[in-house]
Amino acid sequence: MAPTAAEQHTRKAVGLAARDASGHLSPLAITRRSTGDDDVVIKILYCGICHSDLHCIKNEWKNARYPMIPGHEIAGEVTEVGKNVTKFKAGDRAGVGCMVNSCQSCESCDKGFENHCPGIIATYNSVDLDGTITYGGYSSMVVVHERFVVRFPDTMPLDKGAPLLCAGITVYSPMKYHGLNVPGMHLGVLGLGGLGHVAVKFGKAFGMKVTVISSSPGKKQEALERLGADAFVVSKDAEEMKAAMNTMDGIINTVSANIPMAPLLGLLKPNGKMIMVGLPENPMEISPFALVATNKTLAGSCIGGMRDTQEMLDLAAKHDVTADIEVIDAEYVNTAMERLAKADVRYRFVIDIGNTLDNAAAAATTE
């Protein structure tokens, strides 16, 4: 059967795909759509590994569509643009985060909060406008609408900048919109992982006093000496928690485990805010008194809009904020997932797609 006109213009690509809930990733030949008038084509050079990638490939959120190519921390180089594209040209350094489209016409989209659009299309494991399933950044290239592409500042390394497209905007957005970006304020960062270590850096970039709250005493030296935090509180140490009571203007909660909330809310000053960006598996138990008595706020935040994502990257470049990463070859990805499940990474794996994906695909075909 002869190929259709659409098929003739699709691009061949290769990605690392999970075929089932085992989550094992192996090379898969795929096609990307032809370049639309509003599209940007990106050769992917690096892609960060987010913890949500691990949840998704193992179907822990019960919404997996296989085969699945994860990855929403994409950094690379523009190779082609559609005729209507004005913000990018071939050779530009560009990135793609957690979404690749939206309705572009609702109130949220009009206000620059595409992340709140009911029609949001995620970078992977989502149904695209043409009915196909989106494939993410563990792949050789991607074609994305211009609105959902960001520019990497010239001074920002692509490998260390890639994780900011998820981890960075996830902590930057709530700090901006909840007023936790004011010099001299006291910010608590709960959890020191992929999200937490970036939150510490943005807190310092905003001129805030930053205290890391962690259940792991072994992270104290790293938090203070390498990441620049001002203080460290061990959440399991009753004396340290007591000494820090009523001292913080806000807390960015990055923890994805179910933990007692009352002691943590007790760290906040009256009118203080805790913003959740982690996703515990089970419902939380919170006494209303922990919020009502001293007018505290518990809120949530999910990534951010495209305008804020570009703003975040520009500010990060200005203040030299990047992720702490471990760059890996594509062939190492399954081992990296095993390590990620054990929290054995400081603090983000980044796949060297540009230099190693083709080798991994070639090796797989000869086995």
Side-chain angles (χ1 to χ4, degrees):
M1 182 181 294
T4 66
E7 289 172 334
Q8 287 177 333
H9 292 94
T10 56
R11 288 181 169 79
K12 292 182 179 180
V14 64
L16 298 172
R19 270 75 166 185
D20 53 44
S22 71
H24 182 80
L25 294 159
S26 58
L28 176 69
I30 61 170
T31 58
R32 296 291 196 182
R33 70 172 182 259
S34 59
T35 310
D37 292 346
D38 301 304
D39 284 340
V40 176
V41 183
I42 299 172
K43 177 185 178 181
I44 299 174
L45 299 177
Y46 298 98
C47 187
I49 297 180
C50 176
H51 207 286
S52 60
D53 297 346
L54 181 60
H55 289 301
C56 286
I57 60 174
K58 291 184 173 292
N59 197 25
E60 293 176 357
W61 290 339
K62 308 304 179 188
N63 65 348
R65 298 177 175 96
Y66 297 109
M68 181 193 302
I69 296 178
H72 56 209
E73 300 177 346
I74 300 169
E77 181 180 315
V78 175
T79 58
E80 185 181 346
V81 299
K83 66 179 183 180
N84 294 339
V85 172
T86 59
K87 294 189 294 184
F88 297 94
K89 64 182 186 304
D92 285 349
R93 306 161 82 246
V96 179
C98 300
M99 51 189 167
V100 291
N101 217 328
S102 68
C103 79
Q104 303 193 35
S105 60
C106 68
E107 182 179 4
S108 291
C109 288
D110 287 345
K111 291 182 176 179
F113 298 108
E114 299 91 345
N115 52 312
H116 297 156
C117 174
I120 186 174
I121 296 173
T123 304
Y124 68 89
N125 196 47
S126 194
V127 180
D128 210 341
L129 295 176
D130 60 3
T132 60
I133 304 302
T134 55
Y135 290 137
Y138 299 12
S139 57
S140 53
M141 53 87 68
V142 69
V143 184
V144 181
H145 190 286
E146 175 185 31
R147 178 169 178 163
F148 296 87
V149 179
V150 291
R151 180 185 303 277
F152 275 99
D154 292 339
T155 57
M156 180 174 288
L158 291 180
D159 54 355
K160 293 181 179 180
L164 297 183
L165 297 176
C166 174
I169 188 60
T170 294
V171 298
Y172 176 88
S173 183
M175 293 170 77
K176 174 180 177 179
Y177 287 102
H178 289 276
L180 301 177
N181 59 354
V182 179
M185 268 191 170
H186 187 183
L187 177 72
V189 175
L190 179 59
L192 193 62
L195 295 174
H197 89 286
V198 177
V200 171
K201 294 184 179 187
F202 272 118
K204 295 309 298 179
F206 287 132
M208 305 176 78
K209 176 184 178 181
V210 179
T211 295
V212 171
I213 309 152
S214 173
S215 60
S216 305
K219 293 184 177 181
K220 180 175 182 178
Q221 183 176 358
E222 185 154 353
L224 299 178
E225 296 180 8
R226 194 152 79 88
L227 297 176
D230 299 284
F232 188 92
V233 173
V234 179
S235 58
K236 295 179 179 177
D237 187 313
E239 289 301 313
E240 289 191 17
M241 289 290 286
K242 183 179 179 181
M245 289 271 288
N246 301 311
T247 63
M248 300 178 190
D249 296 288
I251 296 174
I252 301 293
N253 181 348
T254 73
V255 174
S256 293
N258 286 93
I259 53 178
M261 295 294 288
L264 298 166
L265 291 167
L267 300 176
L268 293 169
K269 297 175 183 177
N271 303 305
K273 302 177 179 181
M274 177 185 285
I275 317 301
M276 296 192 63
V277 294
L279 292 168
E281 183 177 354
N282 299 313
M284 297 182 298
E285 289 190 13
I286 302 170
S287 166
F289 290 98
L291 298 173
V292 172
T294 48
N295 199 35
K296 292 172 182 174
T297 299
L298 178 64
S301 181
C302 183
I303 56 173
M306 296 311 304
R307 184 172 58 223
D308 288 325
T309 303
Q310 186 65 64
E311 178 183 282
M312 176 274 303
L313 280 180
D314 293 341
L315 184 136
K318 180 179 179 181
H319 293 277
D320 196 26
V321 173
T322 56
D324 289 9
I325 63 170
E326 180 178 336
V327 178
I328 62 168
D329 291 354
E331 291 180 271
Y332 188 78
V333 67
N334 289 300
T335 302
M337 288 296 184
E338 293 172 5
R339 287 179 53 193
L340 180 59
K342 302 172 187 174
D344 179 22
V345 58
R346 294 291 182 272
Y347 285 94
R348 209 62 151 191
F349 287 117
V350 174
I351 309 170
D352 184 351
I353 297 288
N355 290 315
T356 69
L357 180 60
D358 287 345
N359 293 338
T365 59
T366 58
E367 288 176 358

